[in-house]
Amino acid sequence: AMGLQPGKPPLTIKGTVLDNNSFILYFSEPSNKRVRPLVKVTSLANLMSPSKNGAVRRFGQTLQSMSSKSPGMSLRASSKGAGPTPTKRRNSTLWSESLDVHQKSTFSTKEIKRQEAIHELYRGEQDLIEDLQMARKAYHDPMLKLSIMTEEELAHIFGELDTYIPLHEDLYAKLTESAAGPSGIVGQIGQIIIDWLPGLNSYKVYCSHQLAAKALLDQKKQDKRVQDFLQRCLESPFSRKLDLWSFLDIPRSRLVKYPLLFREILRHTPAEHPDIASLEKAIAIIQGILSDINVQKGESECQYYIDKLEYLDDRQRDPLIDSCKSLSCHGELRNKSGSKLHVFLFSELLVLTRPVTRNERSCFQVYRQPIPVRDLALEDLQDGDARMGGSFRGAFTNGEKAKNVFRVSSLDPSHGQSHTLQVNDVYHKQQWLNCLRGAMALQPAGPPRVRTETTAGPVSSRRRSSTVSLDNEEADENHCPDAVAPSQSKTRLEKRFRGSLRRKETGV
């Protein structure tokens, strides 16, 4: 009956079956009648008149679901599938945009810039409060409720993040109360900031624990449940494409912005304004707070890595390690044999290590004897001055001319150490040289420290006999971390070399 209309010839309906689940319908009229183009059929349900019958609706829905699941379907819905959820955006309205033309004309350009700077401080506090609340509601609480992490692990990662929300709500409320009139202009702000700043001292504990918190979070990311949860959060609009650590690090990044914000307000404050003196005082206070936080954070970072040092022999543990309170720099370098070393420049010691894992715990195995900074000698090598690759590798080639290389050695004859170290690029090489020179310049002048025979013991004495000369650098740098003497290492290499030649000759 489909297609029948009074007084008009019937339509002819033909069909072509494509597969078990799809087909195409063709409509034709008498050839003597003008044919109008048909609208694209997206679903068989569109051919039926609207009905309240649930079976009809379900039938149409079934066809649509089949078309989405079967790769060979010809009938597809014209509407596109839902795209990814848009990322949540922050309101970036300027203070001046809230004024009408008449209100804006009553303020000078300098005053508008001053109010814009104050508004930026105000809006930043509002955003920070939202982020801290988000970290709790979207990450901490769900992971605890779903047992993705233990309460102890979450406490270690998040710290006392909740306690800082009232602190920033206090400044936000005071700035809101100080806004006067319909334009929301803030008259004096300096004393408000001075009274509020001491509360930031509570961030000392949070910032000093960040390194350990980040390490634990990275470790927990190896868990598939944690990884899946964090990925889902990252893809949600509330995250703004920021990962969990970005939310946890927002308070620290906010702290370092305060001096810049206060200076910007001061820069646009007239010389006769009463805020001048109070803003200058506020800048001095925040700089002192940040300095204290940096010192405590540095000491915590230093102790964190000291605790991760693993000694093959107790005689490797230099007593100066207990005096180290700061870590100038650290990173991955390569020695002359091409081995990767993780080098730490503490305030008192230069420690070369090899990253290892012990009982699922990452640590750093001390490589050779740490070199006191006061006994340290530094040589900046030009590109091509040193050949890298090691003695065994060099037996078959002439070695590779190295770039971005420097050499550190000990002036203490009992150590007799020399290490040629290679950095990835010239920028990081310069950073290392600056840090090494800076650490050496801070050391008090005096004769180099010499270890006595009784302190080092017979094993160390045996090592010294073969390493006292700095000319034996290659044997020193290829020294194995299992306390094998360089002479023994050289014998091993000679045997390996002869064996390699025999294999080469016999074709094995």
Side-chain angles (χ1 to χ4, degrees):
M2 188 178 297
L4 294 177
Q5 298 182 25
K8 293 186 179 181
L11 295 172
T12 302
I13 303 176
K14 299 180 181 180
T16 301
V17 178
L18 298 180
D19 52 35
N20 293 333
N21 296 324
S22 60
F23 51 85
I24 296 178
L25 299 179
Y26 298 94
F27 296 83
S28 63
E29 295 186 359
S31 58
N32 59 352
K33 183 173 181 179
R34 184 179 178 181
V35 180
R36 291 185 179 181
L38 295 175
V39 179
K40 181 180 178 181
V41 179
T42 59
S43 171
L44 187 59
N46 294 339
L47 298 177
M48 303 178 183
S49 59
S51 172
K52 296 182 180 180
N53 191 332
V56 175
R57 291 198 301 270
R58 286 195 296 271
F59 179 58
Q61 293 168 0
T62 302
L63 286 178
Q64 292 177 353
S65 65
M66 288 167 57
S67 65
S68 63
K69 293 178 181 179
S70 177
M73 291 296 292
S74 297
L75 302 178
R76 295 185 179 180
S78 60
S79 59
K80 296 182 179 180
T85 307
T87 303
K88 180 182 177 182
R89 293 186 178 182
R90 283 271 169 81
N91 181 18
S92 58
T93 305
L94 299 175
W95 174 79
S96 56
E97 292 178 356
S98 63
L99 305 177
D100 57 33
V101 177
H102 175 71
Q103 288 176 325
K104 196 171 182 179
S105 62
T106 60
F107 299 106
S108 65
T109 303
K110 192 175 185 66
E111 181 60 30
I112 290 177
K113 290 182 178 180
R114 169 180 156 86
Q115 294 301 318
E116 294 287 12
I118 295 174
H119 182 71
E120 185 177 354
L121 173 64
Y122 168 86
R123 191 179 65 241
E125 292 301 300
Q126 183 182 26
D127 293 343
L128 178 59
I129 294 168
E130 291 179 0
D131 287 337
L132 295 180
Q133 292 172 341
M134 181 65 66
R136 164 65 67 174
K137 294 179 180 179
Y139 290 94
H140 179 281
D141 293 349
M143 284 193 288
L144 180 61
K145 186 175 182 180
L146 298 173
S147 299
I148 295 177
M149 289 192 198
T150 65
E151 187 174 0
E152 182 180 359
E153 289 170 339
L154 291 171
H156 192 74
I157 293 174
F158 285 80
E160 299 296 329
L161 206 61
D162 284 351
T163 62
Y164 305 116
I165 296 177
L167 173 65
H168 295 282
E169 285 178 336
D170 180 46
L171 179 60
Y172 178 77
K174 289 179 178 177
L175 292 176
T176 304
E177 293 171 1
S178 62
S183 62
I185 188 172
V186 178
Q188 296 185 28
I189 191 177
Q191 193 59 45
I192 294 175
I193 296 174
I194 291 176
D195 296 338
W196 176 78
L197 281 177
L200 294 181
N201 284 298
S202 59
Y203 272 109
K204 291 180 181 179
V205 177
Y206 181 81
C207 291
S208 63
H209 289 167
Q210 273 195 305
L211 183 63
K214 179 67 162 60
L216 178 58
L217 178 60
D218 290 341
Q219 178 185 342
K220 295 300 297 181
K221 283 181 180 179
Q222 306 304 316
D223 186 331
K224 290 185 177 180
R225 292 190 66 200
V226 176
Q227 190 178 39
D228 180 67
F229 176 84
L230 295 180
Q231 183 62 32
R232 290 176 184 273
C233 290
L234 186 63
E235 295 171 355
S236 300
F238 68 80
S239 71
R240 308 193 309 279
K241 302 301 181 183
L242 300 176
D243 59 10
L244 173 57
W245 183 251
S246 298
F247 283 97
L248 297 177
D249 194 48
I250 282 175
R252 182 203 58 80
S253 61
R254 179 66 178 172
L255 286 175
V256 299
K257 288 181 181 178
Y258 284 124
L260 302 177
L261 292 170
F262 298 162
R263 287 194 183 96
E264 186 67 12
I265 298 173
L266 177 62
R267 190 164 71 93
H268 299 296
T269 300
E272 66 279 2
H273 200 285
D275 264 350
I276 290 291
S278 55
L279 285 173
E280 290 174 346
K281 183 179 179 180
I283 293 172
I285 292 174
I286 187 61
Q287 286 177 333
I289 293 174
L290 292 179
S291 178
D292 292 341
I293 291 176
N294 284 334
V295 170
Q296 189 162 338
K297 187 175 184 294
E299 292 178 356
S300 177
E301 180 183 15
C302 179
Q303 191 59 48
Y304 172 82
Y305 284 112
I306 288 176
D307 293 339
K308 282 187 169 291
L309 296 179
E310 184 180 82
Y311 302 92
L312 292 172
D313 193 320
D314 289 340
R315 285 166 293 197
Q316 285 183 313
R317 185 178 176 88
D318 194 298
L320 284 175
I321 197 70
D322 298 325
S323 304
C324 296
K325 299 299 181 184
S326 64
L327 178 63
S328 299
C329 62
H330 68 97
E332 185 181 276
L333 306 177
R334 290 183 180 272
N335 64 2
K336 194 169 184 179
S337 64
S339 301
K340 292 182 180 180
L341 300 177
H342 200 100
V343 182
F344 296 92
L345 177 59
F346 295 102
S347 56
E348 305 293 336
L349 286 170
L350 178 70
V351 185
L352 285 72
T353 70
R354 286 178 172 172
V356 294
T357 302
R358 296 285 185 267
N359 299 322
E360 299 182 354
R361 173 182 174 268
S362 62
C363 55
F364 300 92
Q365 188 182 82
V366 176
Y367 171 80
R368 298 304 309 273
Q369 190 73 23
I371 304 177
V373 176
R374 68 187 184 190
D375 298 341
L376 193 63
L378 175 64
E379 184 180 359
D380 181 6
L381 301 179
Q382 300 300 316
D383 293 347
D385 285 356
R387 296 181 182 274
M388 310 295 283
S391 57
F392 178 68
R393 183 178 177 182
F396 301 99
T397 64
N398 294 326
E400 300 176 0
K401 291 185 178 181
K403 296 181 179 180
N404 309 315
V405 180
F406 62 90
R407 182 178 293 130
V408 291
S409 55
S410 174
L411 298 175
D412 187 346
S414 66
H415 284 172
Q417 292 190 68
S418 179
H419 303 278
T420 301
L421 302 173
Q422 185 178 30
V423 193
N424 288 333
D425 52 60
V426 65
Y427 171 78
H428 288 94
K429 175 187 174 180
Q430 193 59 48
Q431 293 294 310
W432 272 101
L433 293 177
N434 292 341
C435 289
L436 286 165
R437 289 166 180 159
M440 294 165 64
L442 294 176
Q443 296 298 312
R449 201 165 47 116
V450 180
R451 292 181 179 273
T452 62
E453 194 77 21
T454 55
T455 303
V459 175
S460 297
S461 176
R462 187 166 65 249
R463 291 183 199 162
R464 282 194 222 108
S465 63
S466 59
T467 61
V468 68
S469 173
L470 294 182
D471 295 332
N472 194 14
E473 178 185 301
E474 187 168 277
D476 188 288
E477 291 185 341
N478 288 294
H479 182 84
C480 299
D482 55 356
V484 178
S487 58
Q488 296 174 351
S489 299
K490 187 175 181 181
T491 303
R492 286 181 181 176
L493 293 171
E494 289 172 352
K495 291 180 180 178
R496 291 166 63 187
F497 173 58
R498 288 195 296 269
S500 298
L501 288 180
R502 284 197 297 270
R503 288 194 297 271
K504 195 172 183 180
E505 293 170 357
T506 58
V508 179

